[in-house]
C-alpha cells in the first residue's frame, strides 16, 4: 500500500492564483482531513470529510474549498492565494467511527505564496 | 483557540536520559493521541489513550492521562539520538467529535 500520497511536494504561487493540492489514500479509509502547519502553531484543521459526499469545516476553513467525490481522493482548493496561506499542508486519513482511530499522514506539501 | 498547550516547547537531553512532555487541554475528551514528526516529514502515530484509561505503554513510551487535571504526559525512557523530533498531542473532544485537535508540540533534541 502507498498509504497517503500528496502532490505536489513543493509549490510557489503568486497572490491571487488558484490551485489544487491533491491527496489520495489506498486504505479504504472513510475519514480524511487537511491540516496546515505553521511555525509555533502546531497543526490546525482546515476541512475534513467523514465519507464520500460529506465534508465539513475545521478551525481555519476560510480561503479553502474541498470536495469528496470518491473514498480515495480529497483535494484541497485554494481559491485566490494569499501570502497568509504560505504554510505546510498535510492530508491525513483514518478509519471512521465514533472514536478517532490512528491517523495516517501524507508527506506534506510546502506552499509559498509571494 | 481550541489548541492544547504542550510543555515544554523545547527539550534538550543526553542519550540515555528520560524525556517527559506534557499536554494540557481545556474541554472534556473521548481520547487523546500522541504523534511524532521528524524534521520535514509527516506525522507518525505513537499511542492512543482513551478517556477511561490512565496509562498505556508501547516499548520505551509511556503515556498517562489525568482527566481530572485535563492533562497527559508522554515519557520516553532511555532516549536515543533517533528520538530527536517534535512530539504532538491530539485530542478528540466529547463535543464536535469529528475533529482531532492538535497541540503546539514539543521539540525534543537528544544529543549523542
Amino acid at each position: 500500500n502507498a498509504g497517503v500520497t500528496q502532490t505536489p511536494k513543493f509549490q510557489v504561487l503568486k497572490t491571487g492564483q488558484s490551485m489544487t493540492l491533491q491527496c489520495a489514500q489506498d486504505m479504504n479509509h472513510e475519514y480524511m482531513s487537511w491540516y496546515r502547519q505553521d511555525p509555533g502553531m502546531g497543526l490546525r484543521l482546515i476541512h475534513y470529510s467523514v465519507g464520500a459526499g460529506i465534508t465539513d469545516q475545521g478551525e481555519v476553513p476560510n480561503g479553502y474549498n474541498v470536495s469528496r467525490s470518491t473514498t480515495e481522493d480529497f483535494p484541497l482548493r485554494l481559491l485566490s492565494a494569499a501570502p497568509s496561506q504560505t504554510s505546510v499542508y498535510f492530508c491525513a486519513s483514518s478509519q471512521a467511527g465514533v472514536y478517532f482511530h490512528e491517523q495516517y499522514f501524507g508527506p506534506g506539501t510546502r506552499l509559498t505564496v509571494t | 483557540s481550541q489548541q492544547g498547550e504542550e510543555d515544554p516547547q523545547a527539550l534538550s537531553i543526553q542519550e540515555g536520559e528520560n524525556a517527559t512532555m506534557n499536554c494540557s487541554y481545556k474541554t472534556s475528551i473521548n481520547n487523546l493521541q500522541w504523534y511524532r514528526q521528524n524534521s520535514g516529514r509527516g506525522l507518525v502515530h505513537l499511542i492512543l489513550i482513551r478517556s477511561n484509561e490512565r496509562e498505556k505503554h508501547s516499548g520505551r513510551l509511556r503515556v498517562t492521562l489525568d482527566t481530572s487535571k485535563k492533562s497527559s504526559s508522554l515519557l520516553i525512557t532511555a532516549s536515543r539520538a533517533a528520538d530527536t523530533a517534535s512530539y504532538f498531542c491530539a485530542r478528540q473532544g466529547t463535543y464536535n467529535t469529528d475533529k482531532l485537535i492538535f497541540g503546539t508540540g514539543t521539540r525534543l533534541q537528544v544529543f549523542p
Side-chain angles (χ1 to χ4, degrees), chain A residues 47-51 53-57 66-68 74:
Chain A
H47 285 285
Y48 64 96
S49 168
V50 298
I54 306 169
T55 64
D56 208 342
Q57 296 181 350
V66 292
S67 60
R68 184 95 178 271
F74 190 43

Side-chain angles (χ1 to χ4, degrees), chain B residues 5-7 21-25 32 34 70-73 89:
Chain B
E5 295 296 325
E6 295 187 57
D7 170 58
M21 288 157 267
N22 303 296
C23 169
S24 63
Y25 54 91
L32 187 142
W34 285 89
K70 292 187 170 55
S71 68
S72 174
S73 66
C89 68

Side-chain angles (χ1 to χ4, degrees), chain A residues 6-73:
Chain A
Q6 291 183 238
T7 56
K9 285 187 168 55
F10 301 93
Q11 183 71 48
V12 178
L13 290 179
K14 294 189 188 306
T15 297
Q17 287 185 317
S18 62
M19 78 159 296
T20 300
L21 307 185
Q22 301 292 345
C23 174
Q25 52 90 10
D26 60 0
M27 297 173 282
N28 201 33
H29 284 164
E30 292 293 327
Y31 187 91
M32 296 185 74
S33 56
W34 277 101
Y35 291 88
R36 60 178 288 172
Q37 184 175 32
D38 302 297
M41 296 292 291
L43 276 76
R44 290 182 292 170
L45 182 64
I46 305 172
H47 285 285
Y48 64 96
S49 168
V50 298
I54 306 169
T55 64
D56 208 342
Q57 296 181 350
E59 301 172 274
V60 288
N62 291 342
Y64 307 95
N65 270 0
V66 292
S67 60
R68 184 95 178 271
S69 56
T70 67
T71 298
E72 295 78 19
D73 300 298

Side-chain angles (χ1 to χ4, degrees), chain A residues 31 35 37 41 98 100 103, chain B residues 3 35 37 92 98 100:
Chain A
Y31 187 91
Y35 291 88
Q37 184 175 32
M41 296 292 291
V98 174
F100 263 95
Q103 299 282 301
Chain B
Q3 287 187 311
Y35 288 82
Q37 183 181 35
Q92 178 197 21
D98 289 334
L100 191 65

Side-chain angles (χ1 to χ4, degrees), chain B residues 39-108:
Chain B
S39 181
R41 309 290 292 272
L43 280 74
V44 175
H45 182 264
L46 296 175
I47 288 183
L48 182 154
I49 187 165
R50 299 199 187 283
S51 59
N52 61 354
E53 298 175 311
R54 291 297 168 256
E55 188 170 310
K56 287 192 83 168
H57 295 256
S58 177
R60 294 183 295 112
L61 306 181
R62 171 178 168 249
V63 166
T64 60
L65 179 64
D66 187 335
T67 53
S68 66
K69 295 182 179 178
K70 292 187 170 55
S71 68
S72 174
S73 66
L74 170 66
L75 168 67
I76 304 174
T77 59
S79 296
R80 306 167 182 168
D83 295 327
T84 294
S86 291
Y87 292 82
F88 295 89
C89 68
R91 68 193 188 283
Q92 178 197 21
T94 54
Y95 182 73
N96 281 339
T97 57
D98 289 334
K99 298 179 181 179
L100 191 65
I101 304 299
F102 281 79
T104 51
T106 293
R107 295 187 307 278
L108 173 66

